[in-house]
Amino acid sequence: QVQLVESGGGLVQAGGSLRLSCAASGRTFGRYAMGWFRQNFGKEREFVAAISQSGGTTSYADSVKGRFTISRDNAKNTVYLQMNSLKPEDTAVYYCAANSFFVLSSTRYDYWGQGTQVTVSS
């Protein structure tokens, strides 16, 4: 069991940047692969980025490659999503998720945070 809490969302103009944080409880954070997903109203939840337990492997959705960066600090039990060159299409609730192995599908993640709203204006 792991509990996740996202933070860092807000309102930003197109072209701006935000950094989301996901703080995890417990002493076994380093055993979990982590992912970021997002969901806008009327749309299905979609994969954004994922990172392996050690941070050595990352994966990104095509829509965010070159703009978003996922990272983690296992000593702080925290995973980050640095979002640059934000577009209105990035507007969504962003969710942090944890799983015991590295996968990209949201249906395979066992633990989820409550989400944080990101709104990009134009």
Side-chain angles (χ1 to χ4, degrees):
Q1 180 72 37
V2 60
Q3 294 175 296
L4 308 172
V5 180
E6 301 96 332
S7 63
L11 176 64
V12 65
Q13 292 185 356
S17 298
L18 285 173
R19 188 174 77 161
L20 306 183
S21 298
C22 175
S25 65
R27 300 171 58 196
T28 59
F29 176 72
R31 300 180 185 178
Y32 292 95
M34 302 296 297
W36 285 98
F37 299 81
R38 66 187 183 186
Q39 185 172 27
N40 204 349
F41 292 107
K43 299 179 65 177
E44 196 169 277
R45 185 172 298 187
E46 64 177 344
F47 167 77
V48 176
I51 189 167
S52 61
Q53 291 90 328
S54 66
T57 302
T58 59
S59 185
Y60 298 92
D62 288 342
S63 60
V64 306
K65 285 181 180 177
R67 300 189 298 120
F68 291 11
T69 302
I70 188 171
S71 62
R72 67 190 297 161
D73 186 341
N74 288 349
K76 295 183 177 180
N77 281 17
T78 303
V79 63
Y80 305 95
L81 184 67
Q82 178 67 46
M83 305 185 295
N84 299 325
S85 301
L86 283 163
K87 305 174 181 179
E89 302 89 86
D90 296 318
T91 295
V93 176
Y94 283 72
Y95 297 90
C96 174
N99 196 60
S100 59
F101 55 93
F102 184 78
V103 293
L104 306 184
S105 174
S106 63
T107 63
R108 299 298 298 161
Y109 280 79
D110 293 326
Y111 308 104
W112 293 83
Q114 83 290 342
T116 185
Q117 177 71 47
V118 172
T119 302
V120 184
S121 63
S122 60

